[in-house]
Amino acid sequence: MGGFRWTPSPRTRLEITGGQRDGTKTVNGSFNTAIGQTFELSLSYDERVQLDQERLLDALPTTPGDIDPLQPPGLPFSLRNTATKTESASARLSGRFGTTTISMNGSWQRNEIELASGNTTDEKTLRGQISLTQPINRDLTFNASGSITDRDFSAAAINSQARDDTDYRGNASLTYTGFQRLALTLSYGISTRASSLDIQDFTENSISLSATMRF
């Protein structure tokens, strides 16, 4: 793999790389820039070729905080030592208005499975998210976010039964940092799934209180 990085100014950067693995060519690119004093824009496109074992390791959580019972599971796969090409594209626009920070994210992903056999199948994911951070005072901060994720499992259908899931998620939280080393966060979350398979439909609500201690 090789490529180049261009930084025409401290506020703008472009990077493009390309290469080949397992007989499959890949290209990657990212662009970041600041728009005035208010907005930041990030664009990226990524192609990766991985074996099933590598995909499994990437999906494993590394800390307890990475385990989220409300987050939909990743796309299914089996350990057959096959190569999968993952294409993903994302865009992020964030802005700061006084003390309020708003960000909007969009992403698309496609997995091409069974590259070696030449008989590839696709799995697709489309996701949109918006989040807001608003300090209320010196010690209290309000956060809110909402997202929509559409996953097409048709390529990995079990018993020839296609499946398409749409997940809606919302979260709101208050964080208090008035203690010297302790931060407290109270949050409420809701997650709803609408699936082409009725048995996969669900709605979950959660209320949690967490504490973070610095030493």
Side-chain angles (χ1 to χ4, degrees):
M1 176 170 283
F4 71 90
R5 178 184 298 165
W6 180 43
T7 308
S9 72
R11 296 162 59 86
T12 302
R13 188 185 73 166
L14 173 67
E15 182 175 314
I16 298 176
T17 59
Q20 180 173 300
R21 185 184 183 189
D22 290 335
T24 302
K25 296 180 181 179
T26 62
V27 63
N28 305 276
S30 64
F31 175 74
N32 301 275
T33 188
I35 305 174
Q37 301 297 321
T38 303
F39 296 100
E40 292 185 2
L41 175 66
S42 299
L43 305 172
S44 68
Y45 177 77
D46 182 71
E47 294 180 347
R48 290 185 299 162
V49 177
Q50 293 180 299
L51 298 178
D52 291 336
Q53 293 90 333
E54 294 174 302
R55 294 181 64 200
L56 173 62
L57 291 176
D58 282 350
L60 293 176
T62 56
T63 66
D66 293 334
I67 302 175
D68 190 343
L70 294 182
Q71 184 66 22
L75 294 170
F77 59 91
S78 60
L79 295 179
R80 293 177 296 179
N81 203 38
T82 59
T84 295
K85 180 179 180 181
T86 299
E87 300 175 74
S88 58
S90 65
R92 180 177 186 271
L93 178 65
S94 62
R96 188 176 181 89
F97 307 90
T99 59
T100 304
T101 301
I102 299 176
S103 65
M104 293 177 290
N105 302 270
S107 64
W108 167 86
Q109 179 176 302
R110 181 177 69 176
N111 292 331
E112 294 183 24
I113 310 171
E114 298 280 6
L115 291 176
S117 67
N119 183 24
T120 63
T121 55
D122 291 346
E123 301 171 341
K124 300 184 180 73
T125 301
L126 186 64
R127 177 180 174 85
Q129 181 179 19
I130 185 169
S131 60
L132 177 146
T133 299
Q134 174 63 65
I136 298 175
N137 54 42
R138 178 181 175 182
D139 301 321
L140 195 62
T141 302
F142 172 75
N143 294 278
S145 64
S147 66
I148 301 176
T149 303
D150 183 77
R151 298 170 185 262
D152 183 359
F153 297 93
S154 299
I158 300 175
N159 297 327
S160 299
Q161 192 170 22
R163 174 181 166 189
D164 190 290
D165 291 353
T166 302
D167 292 271
Y168 305 89
R169 186 180 183 192
N171 182 271
S173 65
L174 285 172
T175 300
Y176 181 73
T177 58
F179 302 109
Q180 183 176 2
R181 297 182 178 180
L182 180 67
L184 298 175
T185 300
L186 177 65
S187 62
Y188 166 75
I190 182 172
S191 182
T192 299
R193 172 177 296 166
S195 177
S196 58
L197 296 180
D198 293 341
I199 195 174
Q200 297 294 334
D201 290 348
F202 71 87
T203 297
E204 293 180 345
N205 294 272
S206 69
I207 297 176
S208 63
L209 177 64
S210 61
T212 303
M213 178 72 74
R214 298 188 302 272
F215 297 95

